[in-house]
């Protein structure tokens, strides 16, 4: 059972434009959400997080939005840069328990 | 400041064999979690070790076992390897059991079972 889904396996965006990566989840008990970025031959690296008491969290060019009623999470990258090209995973947990990951979205930023 | 170190980086084993993967956590971290990432999938939680004990376990058979040492390093053991065990095995360390925000991942061990 895939509790966290990323329905877009890939996304291409022009440099300087906005990248929007989406994530849906099924478990309404999830209260903590993360986005990770992964380059080839490296482990995932933490990007940004949000707890269920918020609906938005911003860190520089990265903003995560949480819509609890829709069980939907999105990551906005503005402006997109070629170095942002990587696979992005969203992950969710009930605080204190294991994280469930989506299958990832491969982002390509075209110079 | 070294991050999470995993060894070996790549490994090829024959079906039915046993394998041991190793992880050294980031300095200052005391909790180690193991994840399996099959091709085209996101990481799946195997188990978590804290204070040398398995604290949480995902939906993996008993063929998967682990250990944590007093220096917080950890091993993942897989017995009776199946072709389906071929995957990238990721180790993540954190401070405390609920340190999800502070997870640091290693680069992984790529296991191929033939």
């Amino acid at each position: 059972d895939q509790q966290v889904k990323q329905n877009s396996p890939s996304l291409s965006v022009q440099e300087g434009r906005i990248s929007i990566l989406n994530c849906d989840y099924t478990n309404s008990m999830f209260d903590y959400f993360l986005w990770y970025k992964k380059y080839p031959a490296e482990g995932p690296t933490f990007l940004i997080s949000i707890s269920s008491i918020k609906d938005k969290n911003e860190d520089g060019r990265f903003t995560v939005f949480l819509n609890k009623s829709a069980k939907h999470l999105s990551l906005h990258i503005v402006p997109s840069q070629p170095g942002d090209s990587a696979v992005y995973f969203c992950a969710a947990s009930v605080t204190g328990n294991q994280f469930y990951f989506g299958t990832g979205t491969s982002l390509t930023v075209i110079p | 400041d070294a991050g999470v170190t995993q060894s070996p980086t790549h490994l090829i084993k024959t079906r039915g064999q046993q394998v041991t993967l190793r992880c050294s956590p980031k300095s200052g971290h005391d909790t180690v979690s193991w994840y399996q990432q099959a091709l085209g999938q996101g990481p799946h939680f195997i188990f978590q070790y804290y204070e040398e004990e398995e604290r949480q376990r995902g939906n993996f058979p008993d063929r998967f076992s682990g250990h944590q040492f007093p220096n917080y390093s950890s091993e993942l053991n897989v017995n009776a390897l199946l072709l389906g065990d071929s995957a990238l095995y990721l180790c993540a360390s954190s401070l405390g059991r609920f340190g999800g925000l502070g997870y640091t991942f290693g680069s992984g061990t790529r296991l191929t079972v033939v």
Side-chain angles (χ1 to χ4, degrees):
Chain A
D1 61 337
Q2 190 73 24
Q3 298 194 43
V4 178
K5 296 179 183 178
Q6 293 176 257
N7 292 318
S8 298
S10 63
L11 175 69
S12 290
V13 171
Q14 287 289 135
E15 181 179 2
R17 299 288 193 116
I18 184 172
S19 295
I20 300 176
L21 294 93
N22 294 303
C23 179
D24 297 298
Y25 60 95
T26 57
N27 188 344
S28 58
M29 298 297 291
F30 286 148
D31 59 2
Y32 213 90
F33 306 87
L34 306 172
W35 283 94
Y36 280 88
K37 181 165 85 169
K38 186 180 184 305
Y39 293 115
E42 294 183 13
T45 55
F46 170 77
L47 198 57
I48 193 168
S49 67
I50 189 167
S51 74
S52 59
I53 62 173
K54 290 185 164 186
D55 54 19
K56 175 183 172 181
N57 190 25
E58 206 168 343
D59 183 3
R61 296 185 298 113
F62 302 91
T63 303
V64 57
F65 294 92
L66 175 62
N67 182 334
K68 291 184 287 292
S69 60
K71 297 194 184 70
H72 180 80
L73 193 67
S74 63
L75 174 68
H76 293 209
I77 307 174
V78 184
S80 302
Q81 299 173 355
D84 296 329
S85 296
V87 178
Y88 289 78
F89 292 96
C90 67
S93 80
V94 178
T95 300
N97 291 291
Q98 62 173 287
F99 277 88
Y100 293 86
F101 283 78
T103 52
T105 296
S106 179
L107 173 66
T108 302
V109 180
I110 304 163
Chain B
D1 179 22
V4 176
T5 305
Q6 291 188 244
S7 63
T9 54
H10 295 84
L11 200 52
I12 300 175
K13 288 286 190 177
T14 303
R15 192 171 40 182
Q17 284 188 317
Q18 180 263 344
V19 69
T20 297
L21 310 181
R22 294 177 176 82
C23 173
S24 292
K26 180 179 178 179
S27 177
H29 285 183
D30 60 5
T31 302
V32 172
S33 300
W34 287 91
Y35 285 79
Q36 180 195 65
Q37 185 175 10
L39 201 61
Q41 300 291 317
H44 287 269
F45 176 74
I46 303 175
F47 42 52
Q48 180 191 71
Y49 275 84
Y50 173 72
E51 292 185 338
E52 301 180 48
E53 289 191 22
E54 183 183 294
R55 299 292 180 168
Q56 294 184 56
R57 189 178 182 91
N59 189 25
F60 280 81
D62 292 344
R63 298 186 297 108
F64 289 77
S65 64
H67 189 77
Q68 186 179 36
F69 299 93
N71 67 353
Y72 309 121
S73 67
S74 177
E75 289 182 348
L76 164 65
N77 301 293
V78 187
N79 294 323
L81 284 167
L82 303 174
L83 297 179
D85 295 331
S86 296
L88 179 68
Y89 288 84
L90 294 165
C91 170
S93 72
S94 58
L95 178 60
R97 289 187 56 198
F98 309 126
L101 178 61
Y103 262 27
T104 300
F105 279 88
S107 299
T109 294
R110 173 72 63 187
L111 172 64
T112 302
V113 182
V114 296

